[in-house]
Each structure stands twice: as C-alpha cells, then as structure tokens.
Amino acid sequence: MAALRHVVTTEGLASLWKGNLVTIMHRIPYSSTNFWAYESTKRALEGRVSNDAARAWTAGAVSGLVACTAAYPLDLLRTRIAADTAPAAPGSGLRWMPAPRFLTRGRVRAALSRILAEHGVRGLYKGLGATLVQVVPGLAFNFCFYDTFKRLALQAQARAEAAVKAEADGGSGSGVGSGSGGGRSGGSEQALPSPSPLTSAASACAAGLVTSTLTFPLDVVRRRLQVYERGALGAMRYWDVVAAVRREAGLAGFYRGIGPEYMKVLPGMAIAFTTYEALKRFTGAV
C-alpha cells in the first residue's frame, strides 16, 4: 500500500497503467505461442511419457522456452517502461485521470531507441538467459500443477457423481469402487469431463500460488537484470545480482514483493486458464 500511494502521488494514477500497451503487445503473441506449444508438445509426448504430471511439466517447459524466446524483446520493453519513473508534467492532466498518450507508442519508441543506441540489436535480448531460468521452470510448474489439480478435482467429481448414481440406482458398492479405480489408474484426461469455470479458476489459483512461491526469487533476479542498464550496473551478471540482493536484505530480499505478486498472479492465472478452457470448448479444440 505504501508503494501504491507513492506511485500515485509522485507519478499520477495513470502511471499504474504505464507500459500497459506494450504488455498487451507482448501478451498476445506470448500467450498464444505458449498455449499452442504446450498442447502440441503434450500431444507429441503421448505414448512416450506415461506419467500425466511428467508430461505436463515437460510440455510446459518446452512452451516456456519457445514463447519466452520469441516474445522476449517485448517483455524487456515492458519492464523498462514500467521502471521509468519520470513524473507527469504539471498541468498535463495525467495526475488523476489516465490519458491515452500515457500508454501510446511514444514511450515504446523512446525505450526501443535507447536500447538499440546503447547496446545494439543484442540489447533486445539482454537478460534472456536469466528470464529463461525463471520462466521455463515457472511455466513447467504452472502447467504441471494446474493439470494435476484439475485432474484431481475432476476425478473427485466423477467419483462423487458415480456414488450418487449408484445409490440412486440401488447399485452395489463394488460397482462404484470399480469405476473409481478405473478413473484413478487410467489417469487419462480424455476420460474426464471438461472442467467447469469454477474448477478451472480454483485449480489455476492453487497452481499460481505454489508456482509463485517456488520461483519468485528467480523473478526478482530477472527483473533486476532487465532494469540495470547503465554504467557498472549494466555489467552485472546473474550471480552478481544474486549476491547483491543477499547483501542488501538476506534471504528475505528474494521474497520482497511476494504479496503483490500473489495479488497479480492468482487472478491472472484464474482468468487466463478459465478463458482458455472456455475457448477450447467454444472452438471445439481438443
């Protein structure tokens, strides 16, 4: 809350959306490539990797590698724009009302020109290695945990429905046990129904909570590397940043800002995966 008040006071309410245009520009190709690579890899691994969780983890890692590399320059621009703390000009009308020009290509062009002038085309991929170190396992765990939580929820739902049906039909307990066992041992997603929006949202929130807790320290280092661009700081490498964070605040420094991260990631994951499952049903994609 102190950070929120400071940003609004010094830069205006519009600054909360600073870099939003480039974020959208990054998210569209990134998310589409991410989900496409995940589904394609997961299908390719069927019959080769029997364990559902291992297949989801591997497919998530491959999707993260492909999508992150393809869209990284836009991610870098987004971080640089968000880190630009120049206050709004007096009388510009930006302090209390978001203005469209605050989100337009002017800032994108300025950030892009500065990166190219100082570092050349290679500068657009500055920090890619650190990003892959965080994003690849992060997406792998995201998809793995989401797939696992969703499957467990759907299996529990199927067992409950089978028990209710057996009780209504006056069937024996052995029939229920047989159906439950088949669902558990098969582990096949095709045999399970499509998740409801509530199931998707709950599974995504749980996956986001676990994954963010595991990978947040890597994200702290990644964003510092993206922001450090001038003078001696621009020469810092991955382990230099790790050592700097530890000197400043110890191990707790790697989790500074985890609260806002949860506030962003949990609803973001819920919206993304619920929309994804709904669009799969709508388009007939399997």
Side-chain angles (χ1 to χ4, degrees):
M1 294 305 297
L4 178 64
R5 286 193 298 268
H6 173 76
V7 170
V8 172
T9 301
T10 59
E11 301 180 56
L13 189 63
S15 64
L16 297 177
W17 281 269
K18 184 165 58 179
N20 188 53
L21 176 62
V22 75
T23 295
I24 294 172
M25 291 166 56
H26 165 260
R27 280 293 166 179
I28 290 175
Y30 174 80
S31 295
S32 58
T33 304
N34 187 20
F35 281 113
W36 169 80
Y38 172 73
E39 293 288 356
S40 300
T41 306
K42 194 176 178 185
R43 282 195 299 269
L45 292 175
E46 287 180 1
R48 295 182 174 87
V49 180
S50 58
N51 184 272
D52 288 327
R55 189 164 65 249
W57 195 95
T58 305
V62 171
S63 71
L65 179 64
V66 173
C68 182
T69 302
Y72 183 77
L74 292 171
D75 182 45
L76 179 65
L77 285 172
R78 176 185 62 172
T79 301
R80 292 285 177 85
I81 291 171
D84 182 4
T85 58
S92 63
L94 301 180
R95 182 162 295 279
W96 302 113
M97 180 179 296
R101 64 180 179 177
F102 213 150
L103 311 177
T104 56
R105 62 181 179 273
R107 286 178 177 268
V108 177
R109 187 188 298 115
L112 178 61
S113 300
R114 188 171 64 198
I115 292 171
L116 292 175
E118 295 179 359
H119 306 287
V121 176
R122 291 182 59 185
L124 294 175
Y125 288 89
K126 179 179 174 61
L128 175 61
T131 299
L132 292 177
V133 167
Q134 187 265 335
V135 169
V136 170
L139 281 173
F141 283 123
N142 262 342
F143 280 112
C144 179
F145 285 127
Y146 173 74
D147 190 77
T148 300
F149 292 144
K150 179 183 71 172
R151 187 171 60 252
L152 291 174
L154 292 176
Q155 287 174 348
Q157 177 184 329
R159 289 195 296 269
E161 290 175 353
V164 170
K165 183 178 179 181
E167 184 178 349
D169 294 343
S172 63
S174 60
V176 176
S178 173
S180 173
R184 188 187 300 271
S185 62
S188 173
E189 250 183 281
Q190 287 82 355
L192 296 173
S194 180
S196 67
L198 181 59
T199 299
S200 295
S203 301
C205 283
L209 180 67
V210 176
T211 302
S212 292
T213 303
L214 290 174
T215 63
F216 188 74
L218 301 175
D219 195 47
V220 169
V221 178
R222 174 179 76 95
R223 292 200 178 276
R224 285 218 186 187
L225 276 172
Q226 287 183 333
V227 171
Y228 292 164
E229 60 177 301
R230 291 188 176 87
L233 293 180
M236 292 184 72
R237 299 190 178 276
Y238 192 89
W239 293 110
D240 297 328
V241 176
V242 171
V245 173
R246 188 167 184 176
R247 281 196 305 270
E248 290 173 10
L251 294 179
F254 292 99
Y255 282 93
R256 180 178 294 166
I258 190 69
E261 179 74 1
Y262 287 147
M263 294 169 63
K264 180 190 76 169
V265 167
L266 268 60
M269 286 273 292
I271 292 169
F273 278 95
T274 302
T275 304
Y276 174 61
E277 297 285 3
L279 286 172
K280 283 175 66 176
R281 289 193 297 271
F282 179 75
T283 60
V286 179

mmCIF file of all heavy atoms in Angstrom, residues 50-85:
data_model
loop_
_atom_site.group_PDB
_atom_site.id
_atom_site.type_symbol
_atom_site.label_atom_id
_atom_site.label_comp_id
_atom_site.label_asym_id
_atom_site.label_seq_id
_atom_site.Cartn_x
_atom_site.Cartn_y
_atom_site.Cartn_z
ATOM 1 N N SER A 50 4.435 -41.747 -19.939
ATOM 2 C CA SER A 50 3.174 -42.301 -19.428
ATOM 3 C C SER A 50 2.608 -41.503 -18.264
ATOM 4 O O SER A 50 1.389 -41.455 -18.074
ATOM 5 C CB SER A 50 3.382 -43.761 -18.996
ATOM 6 O OG SER A 50 4.392 -43.847 -18.005
ATOM 7 N N ASN A 51 3.477 -40.862 -17.477
ATOM 8 C CA ASN A 51 3.016 -40.133 -16.298
ATOM 9 C C ASN A 51 2.425 -38.783 -16.699
ATOM 10 O O ASN A 51 3.068 -37.995 -17.401
ATOM 11 C CB ASN A 51 4.179 -39.930 -15.325
ATOM 12 C CG ASN A 51 3.747 -39.264 -14.035
ATOM 13 O OD1 ASN A 51 3.722 -38.040 -13.948
ATOM 14 N ND2 ASN A 51 3.387 -40.059 -13.041
ATOM 15 N N ASP A 52 1.173 -38.514 -16.264
ATOM 16 C CA ASP A 52 0.492 -37.276 -16.649
ATOM 17 C C ASP A 52 1.242 -36.035 -16.172
ATOM 18 O O ASP A 52 1.390 -35.058 -16.913
ATOM 19 C CB ASP A 52 -0.934 -37.266 -16.081
ATOM 20 C CG ASP A 52 -1.843 -38.241 -16.810
ATOM 21 O OD1 ASP A 52 -1.641 -38.438 -18.013
ATOM 22 O OD2 ASP A 52 -2.751 -38.797 -16.174
ATOM 23 N N ALA A 53 1.688 -36.051 -14.905
ATOM 24 C CA ALA A 53 2.367 -34.882 -14.345
ATOM 25 C C ALA A 53 3.683 -34.616 -15.069
ATOM 26 O O ALA A 53 4.021 -33.462 -15.377
ATOM 27 C CB ALA A 53 2.609 -35.073 -12.849
ATOM 28 N N ALA A 54 4.442 -35.680 -15.352
ATOM 29 C CA ALA A 54 5.721 -35.513 -16.056
ATOM 30 C C ALA A 54 5.495 -34.985 -17.473
ATOM 31 O O ALA A 54 6.260 -34.140 -17.960
ATOM 32 C CB ALA A 54 6.465 -36.846 -16.100
ATOM 33 N N ARG A 55 4.443 -35.462 -18.134
ATOM 34 C CA ARG A 55 4.149 -34.992 -19.482
ATOM 35 C C ARG A 55 3.764 -33.518 -19.470
ATOM 36 O O ARG A 55 4.211 -32.732 -20.316
ATOM 37 C CB ARG A 55 3.026 -35.834 -20.098
ATOM 38 C CG ARG A 55 2.805 -35.549 -21.567
ATOM 39 C CD ARG A 55 1.979 -36.620 -22.256
ATOM 40 N NE ARG A 55 0.618 -36.682 -21.742
ATOM 41 C CZ ARG A 55 0.130 -37.700 -21.022
ATOM 42 N NH1 ARG A 55 0.899 -38.736 -20.736
ATOM 43 N NH2 ARG A 55 -1.129 -37.690 -20.595
ATOM 44 N N ALA A 56 2.940 -33.117 -18.502
ATOM 45 C CA ALA A 56 2.535 -31.715 -18.397
ATOM 46 C C ALA A 56 3.730 -30.831 -18.059
ATOM 47 O O ALA A 56 3.861 -29.719 -18.596
ATOM 48 C CB ALA A 56 1.441 -31.558 -17.341
ATOM 49 N N TRP A 57 4.610 -31.289 -17.173
ATOM 50 C CA TRP A 57 5.789 -30.496 -16.786
ATOM 51 C C TRP A 57 6.703 -30.288 -17.988
ATOM 52 O O TRP A 57 7.168 -29.172 -18.256
ATOM 53 C CB TRP A 57 6.558 -31.193 -15.671
ATOM 54 C CG TRP A 57 7.555 -30.319 -14.976
ATOM 55 C CD1 TRP A 57 7.379 -29.613 -13.824
ATOM 56 C CD2 TRP A 57 8.900 -30.052 -15.408
ATOM 57 N NE1 TRP A 57 8.521 -28.916 -13.509
ATOM 58 C CE2 TRP A 57 9.470 -29.164 -14.458
ATOM 59 C CE3 TRP A 57 9.673 -30.459 -16.485
ATOM 60 C CZ2 TRP A 57 10.776 -28.695 -14.560
ATOM 61 C CZ3 TRP A 57 10.985 -29.987 -16.603
ATOM 62 C CH2 TRP A 57 11.516 -29.115 -15.639
ATOM 63 N N THR A 58 6.967 -31.363 -18.731
ATOM 64 C CA THR A 58 7.853 -31.264 -19.895
ATOM 65 C C THR A 58 7.256 -30.360 -20.966
ATOM 66 O O THR A 58 7.952 -29.512 -21.547
ATOM 67 C CB THR A 58 8.115 -32.662 -20.475
ATOM 68 O OG1 THR A 58 8.633 -33.519 -19.442
ATOM 69 C CG2 THR A 58 9.108 -32.594 -21.626
ATOM 70 N N ALA A 59 5.962 -30.524 -21.236
ATOM 71 C CA ALA A 59 5.301 -29.689 -22.239
ATOM 72 C C ALA A 59 5.305 -28.222 -21.809
ATOM 73 O O ALA A 59 5.495 -27.318 -22.632
ATOM 74 C CB ALA A 59 3.872 -30.171 -22.463
ATOM 75 N N GLY A 60 5.117 -27.968 -20.514
ATOM 76 C CA GLY A 60 5.155 -26.598 -20.011
ATOM 77 C C GLY A 60 6.535 -25.984 -20.151
ATOM 78 O O GLY A 60 6.665 -24.795 -20.486
ATOM 79 N N ALA A 61 7.585 -26.777 -19.901
ATOM 80 C CA ALA A 61 8.949 -26.269 -20.032
ATOM 81 C C ALA A 61 9.258 -25.920 -21.485
ATOM 82 O O ALA A 61 9.846 -24.866 -21.781
ATOM 83 C CB ALA A 61 9.946 -27.304 -19.511
ATOM 84 N N VAL A 62 8.849 -26.790 -22.411
ATOM 85 C CA VAL A 62 9.095 -26.527 -23.838
ATOM 86 C C VAL A 62 8.326 -25.278 -24.284
ATOM 87 O O VAL A 62 8.857 -24.420 -25.003
ATOM 88 C CB VAL A 62 8.683 -27.745 -24.692
ATOM 89 C CG1 VAL A 62 8.721 -27.401 -26.183
ATOM 90 C CG2 VAL A 62 9.598 -28.927 -24.394
ATOM 91 N N SER A 63 7.067 -25.160 -23.855
ATOM 92 C CA SER A 63 6.270 -23.993 -24.244
ATOM 93 C C SER A 63 6.878 -22.710 -23.699
ATOM 94 O O SER A 63 6.887 -21.677 -24.371
ATOM 95 C CB SER A 63 4.826 -24.146 -23.755
ATOM 96 O OG SER A 63 4.740 -24.015 -22.355
ATOM 97 N N GLY A 64 7.403 -22.756 -22.482
ATOM 98 C CA GLY A 64 8.044 -21.575 -21.911
ATOM 99 C C GLY A 64 9.281 -21.170 -22.676
ATOM 100 O O GLY A 64 9.511 -19.980 -22.929
ATOM 101 N N LEU A 65 10.083 -22.150 -23.071
ATOM 102 C CA LEU A 65 11.302 -21.871 -23.836
ATOM 103 C C LEU A 65 10.974 -21.221 -25.177
ATOM 104 O O LEU A 65 11.573 -20.208 -25.566
ATOM 105 C CB LEU A 65 12.075 -23.171 -24.054
ATOM 106 C CG LEU A 65 13.374 -23.077 -24.851
ATOM 107 C CD1 LEU A 65 14.401 -22.228 -24.123
ATOM 108 C CD2 LEU A 65 13.928 -24.464 -25.123
ATOM 109 N N VAL A 66 9.989 -21.769 -25.878
ATOM 110 C CA VAL A 66 9.641 -21.264 -27.211
ATOM 111 C C VAL A 66 8.999 -19.880 -27.127
ATOM 112 O O VAL A 66 9.409 -18.934 -27.813
ATOM 113 C CB VAL A 66 8.693 -22.256 -27.921
ATOM 114 C CG1 VAL A 66 8.178 -21.658 -29.229
ATOM 115 C CG2 VAL A 66 9.397 -23.572 -28.174
ATOM 116 N N ALA A 67 7.977 -19.751 -26.264
ATOM 117 C CA ALA A 67 7.223 -18.498 -26.193
ATOM 118 C C ALA A 67 8.072 -17.362 -25.642
ATOM 119 O O ALA A 67 8.006 -16.229 -26.137
ATOM 120 C CB ALA A 67 5.972 -18.694 -25.328
ATOM 121 N N CYS A 68 8.867 -17.651 -24.615
ATOM 122 C CA CYS A 68 9.667 -16.592 -23.998
ATOM 123 C C CYS A 68 10.726 -16.071 -24.955
ATOM 124 O O CYS A 68 10.929 -14.865 -25.065
ATOM 125 C CB CYS A 68 10.315 -17.128 -22.724
ATOM 126 S SG CYS A 68 11.267 -15.892 -21.844
ATOM 127 N N THR A 69 11.399 -16.965 -25.672
ATOM 128 C CA THR A 69 12.427 -16.541 -26.621
ATOM 129 C C THR A 69 11.824 -15.705 -27.749
ATOM 130 O O THR A 69 12.384 -14.695 -28.165
ATOM 131 C CB THR A 69 13.147 -17.768 -27.203
ATOM 132 O OG1 THR A 69 13.714 -18.536 -26.133
ATOM 133 C CG2 THR A 69 14.254 -17.340 -28.153
ATOM 134 N N ALA A 70 10.644 -16.123 -28.230
ATOM 135 C CA ALA A 70 10.014 -15.424 -29.341
ATOM 136 C C ALA A 70 9.556 -14.019 -28.957
ATOM 137 O O ALA A 70 9.662 -13.085 -29.752
ATOM 138 C CB ALA A 70 8.824 -16.232 -29.863
ATOM 139 N N ALA A 71 9.058 -13.853 -27.738
ATOM 140 C CA ALA A 71 8.456 -12.573 -27.341
ATOM 141 C C ALA A 71 9.320 -11.774 -26.375
ATOM 142 O O ALA A 71 8.871 -10.749 -25.852
ATOM 143 C CB ALA A 71 7.076 -12.819 -26.714
ATOM 144 N N TYR A 72 10.569 -12.174 -26.158
ATOM 145 C CA TYR A 72 11.370 -11.531 -25.124
ATOM 146 C C TYR A 72 11.609 -10.039 -25.338
ATOM 147 O O TYR A 72 11.535 -9.265 -24.376
ATOM 148 C CB TYR A 72 12.720 -12.237 -24.964
ATOM 149 C CG TYR A 72 13.531 -11.626 -23.855
ATOM 150 C CD1 TYR A 72 13.237 -11.912 -22.528
ATOM 151 C CD2 TYR A 72 14.560 -10.732 -24.125
ATOM 152 C CE1 TYR A 72 13.955 -11.327 -21.496
ATOM 153 C CE2 TYR A 72 15.277 -10.138 -23.100
ATOM 154 C CZ TYR A 72 14.973 -10.444 -21.797
ATOM 155 O OH TYR A 72 15.666 -9.850 -20.770
ATOM 156 N N PRO A 73 11.914 -9.560 -26.567
ATOM 157 C CA PRO A 73 12.138 -8.116 -26.718
ATOM 158 C C PRO A 73 10.972 -7.277 -26.198
ATOM 159 O O PRO A 73 11.180 -6.206 -25.613
ATOM 160 C CB PRO A 73 12.333 -7.953 -28.225
ATOM 161 C CG PRO A 73 12.892 -9.254 -28.663
ATOM 162 C CD PRO A 73 12.181 -10.283 -27.829
ATOM 163 N N LEU A 74 9.750 -7.743 -26.394
ATOM 164 C CA LEU A 74 8.585 -7.008 -25.894
ATOM 165 C C LEU A 74 8.526 -7.060 -24.370
ATOM 166 O O LEU A 74 8.099 -6.104 -23.728
ATOM 167 C CB LEU A 74 7.311 -7.583 -26.498
ATOM 168 C CG LEU A 74 7.156 -7.355 -28.009
ATOM 169 C CD1 LEU A 74 5.967 -8.147 -28.543
ATOM 170 C CD2 LEU A 74 6.983 -5.870 -28.310
ATOM 171 N N ASP A 75 8.958 -8.166 -23.783
ATOM 172 C CA ASP A 75 8.993 -8.266 -22.328
ATOM 173 C C ASP A 75 10.016 -7.296 -21.757
ATOM 174 O O ASP A 75 9.785 -6.637 -20.736
ATOM 175 C CB ASP A 75 9.318 -9.703 -21.930
ATOM 176 C CG ASP A 75 9.320 -9.898 -20.412
ATOM 177 O OD1 ASP A 75 8.393 -9.404 -19.750
ATOM 178 O OD2 ASP A 75 10.251 -10.547 -19.890
ATOM 179 N N LEU A 76 11.152 -7.187 -22.429
ATOM 180 C CA LEU A 76 12.189 -6.248 -21.994
ATOM 181 C C LEU A 76 11.692 -4.811 -22.076
ATOM 182 O O LEU A 76 11.881 -4.012 -21.143
ATOM 183 C CB LEU A 76 13.438 -6.427 -22.850
ATOM 184 C CG LEU A 76 14.614 -5.494 -22.531
ATOM 185 C CD1 LEU A 76 15.145 -5.768 -21.140
ATOM 186 C CD2 LEU A 76 15.718 -5.665 -23.564
ATOM 187 N N LEU A 77 11.037 -4.458 -23.174
ATOM 188 C CA LEU A 77 10.481 -3.114 -23.319
ATOM 189 C C LEU A 77 9.458 -2.824 -22.227
ATOM 190 O O LEU A 77 9.429 -1.726 -21.660
ATOM 191 C CB LEU A 77 9.834 -2.963 -24.695
ATOM 192 C CG LEU A 77 10.780 -2.798 -25.886
ATOM 193 C CD1 LEU A 77 9.989 -2.867 -27.181
ATOM 194 C CD2 LEU A 77 11.545 -1.490 -25.787
ATOM 195 N N ARG A 78 8.623 -3.803 -21.914
ATOM 196 C CA ARG A 78 7.613 -3.619 -20.878
ATOM 197 C C ARG A 78 8.260 -3.304 -19.536
ATOM 198 O O ARG A 78 7.840 -2.390 -18.813
ATOM 199 C CB ARG A 78 6.764 -4.895 -20.762
ATOM 200 C CG ARG A 78 5.742 -4.863 -19.651
ATOM 201 C CD ARG A 78 5.045 -6.197 -19.522
ATOM 202 N NE ARG A 78 5.982 -7.272 -19.187
ATOM 203 C CZ ARG A 78 5.593 -8.499 -18.863
ATOM 204 N NH1 ARG A 78 4.312 -8.806 -18.857
ATOM 205 N NH2 ARG A 78 6.483 -9.417 -18.568
ATOM 206 N N THR A 79 9.303 -4.042 -19.191
ATOM 207 C CA THR A 79 9.978 -3.824 -17.912
ATOM 208 C C THR A 79 10.658 -2.455 -17.867
ATOM 209 O O THR A 79 10.582 -1.746 -16.860
ATOM 210 C CB THR A 79 11.023 -4.929 -17.667
ATOM 211 O OG1 THR A 79 10.365 -6.195 -17.670
ATOM 212 C CG2 THR A 79 11.722 -4.736 -16.331
ATOM 213 N N ARG A 80 11.307 -2.062 -18.965
ATOM 214 C CA ARG A 80 12.000 -0.775 -18.989
ATOM 215 C C ARG A 80 11.005 0.379 -18.870
ATOM 216 O O ARG A 80 11.262 1.364 -18.174
ATOM 217 C CB ARG A 80 12.792 -0.642 -20.297
ATOM 218 C CG ARG A 80 13.956 -1.612 -20.395
ATOM 219 C CD ARG A 80 15.121 -1.194 -19.511
ATOM 220 N NE ARG A 80 16.177 -2.179 -19.566
ATOM 221 C CZ ARG A 80 17.120 -2.218 -20.491
ATOM 222 N NH1 ARG A 80 17.113 -1.322 -21.458
ATOM 223 N NH2 ARG A 80 18.056 -3.131 -20.455
ATOM 224 N N ILE A 81 9.859 0.280 -19.554
ATOM 225 C CA ILE A 81 8.862 1.344 -19.489
ATOM 226 C C ILE A 81 8.281 1.451 -18.086
ATOM 227 O O ILE A 81 8.086 2.536 -17.545
ATOM 228 C CB ILE A 81 7.759 1.106 -20.532
ATOM 229 C CG1 ILE A 81 8.329 1.299 -21.935
ATOM 230 C CG2 ILE A 81 6.581 2.051 -20.318
ATOM 231 C CD1 ILE A 81 7.395 0.876 -23.041
ATOM 232 N N ALA A 82 8.002 0.304 -17.466
ATOM 233 C CA ALA A 82 7.452 0.318 -16.114
ATOM 234 C C ALA A 82 8.449 0.884 -15.115
ATOM 235 O O ALA A 82 8.063 1.491 -14.116
ATOM 236 C CB ALA A 82 7.050 -1.102 -15.703
ATOM 237 N N ALA A 83 9.753 0.701 -15.384
ATOM 238 C CA ALA A 83 10.780 1.189 -14.465
ATOM 239 C C ALA A 83 11.108 2.656 -14.667
ATOM 240 O O ALA A 83 11.822 3.257 -13.863
ATOM 241 C CB ALA A 83 12.057 0.358 -14.618
ATOM 242 N N ASP A 84 10.597 3.266 -15.722
ATOM 243 C CA ASP A 84 10.832 4.684 -15.989
ATOM 244 C C ASP A 84 9.958 5.509 -15.048
ATOM 245 O O ASP A 84 8.736 5.518 -15.161
ATOM 246 C CB ASP A 84 10.476 4.999 -17.438
ATOM 247 C CG ASP A 84 10.757 6.459 -17.790
ATOM 248 O OD1 ASP A 84 11.294 7.176 -16.929
ATOM 249 O OD2 ASP A 84 10.441 6.856 -18.918
ATOM 250 N N THR A 85 10.584 6.190 -14.097
ATOM 251 C CA THR A 85 9.833 6.887 -13.050
ATOM 252 C C THR A 85 9.727 8.382 -13.282
ATOM 253 O O THR A 85 9.551 9.151 -12.340
ATOM 254 C CB THR A 85 10.492 6.641 -11.678
ATOM 255 O OG1 THR A 85 11.853 7.095 -11.727
ATOM 256 C CG2 THR A 85 10.481 5.172 -11.327
#
